[in-house]
Amino acid sequence: MQDKRLEHSKLAIIGNVDSGKSTLVGVLTKGILDDGRGGARERVFNYKHEKENGRTSSVAQEIMGFDENLKQVVPERFNQNKNKYWSLVVEKSAKIVTFLDLCGHEKYLKTTIFGLVAMIPDYSLIIVGANMGVSKMTREHLGVSLFLKIPFAIVLTKIDIAPQNVYNETIENIKALIRSPAIKRTAVLFDEKSGMDEIDKWAALMHGNNVVPIFQVSSVTGNGLSQLTRFVSRVPNRDDINKAYQSVNDPFQFDIQENFNVPGVGVVVSGIVRSGKAGLNQHTLLGPDKGKTFKPVTIKSIHINRVAVESAQVGEFACFALKPSKAGEKLDRADFRKGMILIDPAVKPEPVIEFEANIHILHHPTTMSHGYQAVMHCGVIRQAVEMKKIFQHEVLRTGDVDTVRLRFLYAAEYLKTEQILVIREGRTKIFGYISKLITEKQLEEEKKVQVIPIQQQQQQQQQQQQQQQI
């Protein structure tokens, strides 16, 4: 069992459909070149239907390992079994870079937003096809990255098949976009002649969020891949300065992204440690379920990068095998729903059904008023919410900033103040953060206050009726 802590960073791969995202991930992580017909991406896809139509519709994870000298670790022969392949890479690596291959098609935008909000990447690589230019979805993904304060780099792919005039126009458009008032950053262009020392210098400055490196690569000819690999190996981890995380000394919290039933093992959950540290046989709470309750469970085993370890700490992707803490109880996949977490019992978590949020409406086709409903993303939570109250405006339009009271439509969730939220519905884009949680006790007191005026009105009506009868 491994317990050495490897240096790690997470990169989200985003951009328009057919820009070559999955192919680039396959080429970088497997150390092979593409055949021009999607051979490399076949090794990245999760599902059969993705291989058939060539479009990513889920969040695929791949790892890239680097040794002490930051040279890439590539096993001698490729193994289709991810467990074996990943363990070979982890065994010989001092640093692991995780790629989150996200969806490019507009149809799967909610999956991409979930990947960016819930998986907390350190950086985004925005992939642009040199022969296609900057599209609407490229701008959409870039906008989400900007709001979530994720530093990003741009990778121009397919430079071997792009006509020279289209290629030049794409580069000029990207530079203009980075200089625009909304972004105001410095673009740094790299090509295959760029020196490695220059790349190291700019990679170290990435977490400052002021520079946008632009790489030019071809997954078929291999042009520019060594420069991009060097950059990926050098970008620093941002866990210490990322406000989405708390410290390793804080109470344990783990956001559950997926759950599985593994034969011979039982229920396994995968996700990210947001706070504190987890060890083997640790007692923790699983919830909240639809009845707002938390169930005591015990962590049987822990895997990071498909390798068994003794502990997982803040900022790490991990898988936990769980069993109920109480004898005689059962735990199966029916006990899970979206938005659940594992949390330290000392926290005494209290789920909320209503909360207040400070929001900024980036785009909405018409006006928004009391009763508006849409799906909200906040960490691993994705659930429909209803607008119960708007504090400063009567109605909300594009560009407005306000505080609103929101209510979950289906189940209470565990939230914290200052958590970032994204509301996306069709062309509507709303970003914000949670400012206040409304507890059950406060809701009951509000109801009492509302009931008293109603009773007074009824008494007045009865008195008026009696006077009229007299």
Side-chain angles (χ1 to χ4, degrees), residues 45 47 53 71 81-82 100-101 111 140-141 151 154 172 192 308 311 316 323 382 385 388 408 445 452:
F45 288 144
Y47 299 106
N53 65 17
K71 284 205 164 47
N81 183 328
K82 261 191 184 181
L100 307 171
D101 183 25
T111 307
E140 194 83 48
H141 290 171
I154 291 174
E172 288 310 310
E192 57 182 350
S311 65
E316 292 179 328
K323 66 176 180 184
R382 47 251 201 245
V385 291
K388 303 297 283 183
F408 287 117
E445 284 171 3
I452 293 166

Side-chain angles (χ1 to χ4, degrees), residues 276-348:
K277 186 176 181 178
L280 293 175
N281 301 316
Q282 182 169 324
H283 294 290
T284 177
L285 294 176
L286 167 70
D289 58 18
K290 286 184 179 173
K292 300 184 187 178
T293 58
F294 284 79
K295 189 174 191 172
V297 294
T298 305
I299 297 170
K300 287 196 297 184
S301 67
I302 302 172
H303 280 68
I304 294 176
N305 296 324
R306 298 173 185 255
V307 176
V309 293
E310 289 180 1
S311 65
Q313 64 183 38
V314 63
E316 292 179 328
F317 281 129
C319 281
F320 297 153
L322 303 177
K323 66 176 180 184
S325 294
K326 291 177 183 172
E329 281 196 357
K330 282 189 174 180
L331 183 67
D332 56 35
R333 291 191 69 191
D335 296 325
F336 288 86
R337 60 176 196 83
K338 289 176 182 176
M340 289 176 89
I341 59 167
L342 293 174
I343 194 162
D344 191 328
V347 174
K348 294 181 180 161

Side-chain angles (χ1 to χ4, degrees), residues 10-158:
K10 300 183 284 292
L11 272 70
I13 310 294
I14 51 179
N16 190 35
V17 66
D18 299 335
S19 57
K21 296 184 295 299
S22 300
T23 300
L24 182 65
V25 170
V27 166
L28 286 174
T29 57
K30 306 293 186 273
I32 55 169
L33 289 178
D34 188 46
D35 57 4
R37 294 187 298 281
R41 71 184 181 197
E42 297 268 319
R43 300 182 175 191
V44 176
F45 288 144
N46 287 331
Y47 299 106
K48 189 183 172 189
H49 68 264
E50 294 179 327
K51 290 181 181 178
E52 285 168 0
N53 65 17
R55 282 187 182 160
T56 306
S57 60
S58 61
V59 180
Q61 287 190 30
E62 285 293 339
I63 61 166
M64 199 169 176
F66 297 94
D67 61 19
E68 288 83 1
N69 303 319
L70 293 182
K71 284 205 164 47
Q72 189 179 354
V73 174
V74 181
E76 289 172 15
R77 50 194 291 274
F78 173 72
N79 193 322
Q80 192 65 49
N81 183 328
K82 261 191 184 181
N83 290 349
K84 288 180 182 172
Y85 187 81
W86 283 33
S87 62
L88 288 170
V89 172
V90 171
E91 194 183 312
K92 297 175 183 174
S93 300
K95 178 177 180 175
I96 295 288
V97 176
T98 305
F99 289 99
L100 307 171
D101 183 25
L102 302 176
C103 324
H105 201 281
E106 189 166 7
K107 188 166 130 184
Y108 309 120
L109 183 62
K110 66 174 188 223
T111 307
T112 302
I113 289 177
F114 171 73
L116 289 171
V117 174
M119 295 186 166
I120 321 173
D122 294 310
Y123 305 93
S124 296
L125 288 185
I126 299 173
I127 314 297
V128 180
N131 58 339
M132 297 156 71
V134 180
S135 69
K136 177 188 148 197
M137 283 313 290
T138 310
R139 293 171 192 273
E140 194 83 48
H141 290 171
L142 200 149
V144 177
S145 235
L146 269 178
F147 172 75
L148 296 174
K149 296 186 171 63
I150 303 170
F152 60 91
I154 291 174
V155 181
L156 272 177
T157 56
K158 307 186 184 184

